[in-house]
Amino acid sequence: MAIRPDEITSVLKSQLEKYRSSLNVTNVGSVLQVGDGIARIYGMEKAMAGELVEFDDEEKTMGMVLNLEEDNVGVVVLGEGRKIFEGMEVRTTGKIASVPVGEALLGRVVNAIGQPMDGKGPINASETSPIEVKAPGIVSRKSVHEPLMTGIAAIDGMIPIGRGQRELIIGDRQTGKTAVAIDAIINQKNQPNRPICIYVAIGQKNSNVGKIQKILEEHGAMEYTIIVNAPATAAPALQFLAPYAGVAMGEYFMKKGMHALCVYDDLSKHANAYRAMSLLLRRPPGREAFPGDVFYLHSRLLERAAKLSDKLGAGSLTALPIIETQAGDVSAYVPTNVISITDGQIFLETDLFYAGVRPAINAGISVSRVGGSAQTKAMKSVAGKLRLDLAQFRELEAFAQFASDLDKSTQDQIRRGQKLTEVLKQPQYQPLSLAQQVSIIFAANKGILDDVETKNLGKFKAEWFKYLSSQAKDIEAKLTGGDKLSDAEEQALVDQLNKFKTNFFKP
């Protein structure tokens, strides 16, 4: 049977259309201008916001679409992009920015798009996850009720953190913010249902990140930790993407019914990188030159921390964002933004830090909006008034400097406050077990430390912890379980403390 010419023409036309669509002609553009990590592209009509694009340079540099304008597309360059020039071809990839996720990342240092930075070879991750996803809704969540123990007595006692919470660590530079977060990561080593930890370093020196990696390796914490590093030398776009990459890696474990802890160090530099990108993209500046959506920048990141419902596997993702203040000014734009997003803050004060109180936690301003529901019954029973007592002591101490003679009750309160302050001092990278924390706070509350000189309390603590694990194992086991002590058990603990103080402690 003969084929008519018009049939051949229609077949050829349809084949030509298929060929044209496979070429994706409208999704190829050319560079109008490039500089400072920003490229403006002409002709990419089908580009999507957040889509990855590929430049036709030797390194096949990737970029991400951020601005969709009338006649051009604003793209941030994910890399150095030194070989990109005007007129160069750019193609859309049809992919939204994603990172590899899963067990293969544990113990590794990666950049903001999941590429290895530690020289240990490629990462064989079988799955990837988009870096920007919608946060779990209210129905998908459950109230925070499990403690995330940091191993720092001052935090676990006064400002408890629960699994699924967002607790801000805020303070001036060099006040021990990172140290608090690293202690929390190290302390997860022996915790039940150990969380996977993700440490996101934004705008830091590579040498600092190397030191942190070495500390985590020395304490055996790197085996359950991922480090996402966007150093100060990296493009602003990579610094902007790093925390979203970190939370995507954590969400993978949360959705599997496991637990994850994300530390963002720090979001001040993250906001600055976003501000730099926004101004270069010609977005209008607002307060302190930040763009109007800088609140949304952090809220859509931190809202992804959650404690999922039992139906969804009861996994959790806890966020510890860090914010650096200037001269203790918590009322600046970005600090107030992040304070209003999080469920409490740990405020580290410069004056306390230089006075030798470390961690330098200001008990008055610091708060946990989850509170006692993130504490074990044992800790709740001994730490109830701890924060209030310390805050009152700091007020009294300032007042007492100007008063010559004080009544006995005020003197007693100041003495007790000094003892509590000394008890809560803790060396870096030496987290305490729950039993150690509860027993020493219990000793301070019961007045057992009243006749121990304040300068000898550090020695008393160190020796008591050794005694507790060798001579009072039954009490230690009970306290580790987290249950409240019965009256008889409390008396047994008092007896053991007195026995240790009388027979074993030599100041």
Side-chain angles (χ1 to χ4, degrees), residues 460-480:
F460 182 96
K461 274 169 61 181
E463 292 182 11
W464 161 249
F465 294 152
K466 286 178 192 167
Y467 178 89
L468 181 67
S469 57
S470 59
Q471 306 294 320
K473 287 184 179 172
D474 50 342
I475 292 174
E476 185 182 38
K478 178 75 179 175
L479 289 172
T480 302

Side-chain angles (χ1 to χ4, degrees), residues 135-136 141 164-166 247 251 254 264 300-307 316-320 343:
R141 295 174 185 247
Q165 192 178 341
R166 303 153 301 177
V247 75
E251 273 176 333
M254 175 177 76
Y264 308 113
R300 73 178 192 263
L301 169 73
L302 295 169
E303 287 295 335
R304 286 163 74 176
K307 168 68 184 164
S316 74
L317 175 68
T318 311
L320 291 182
D343 309 310

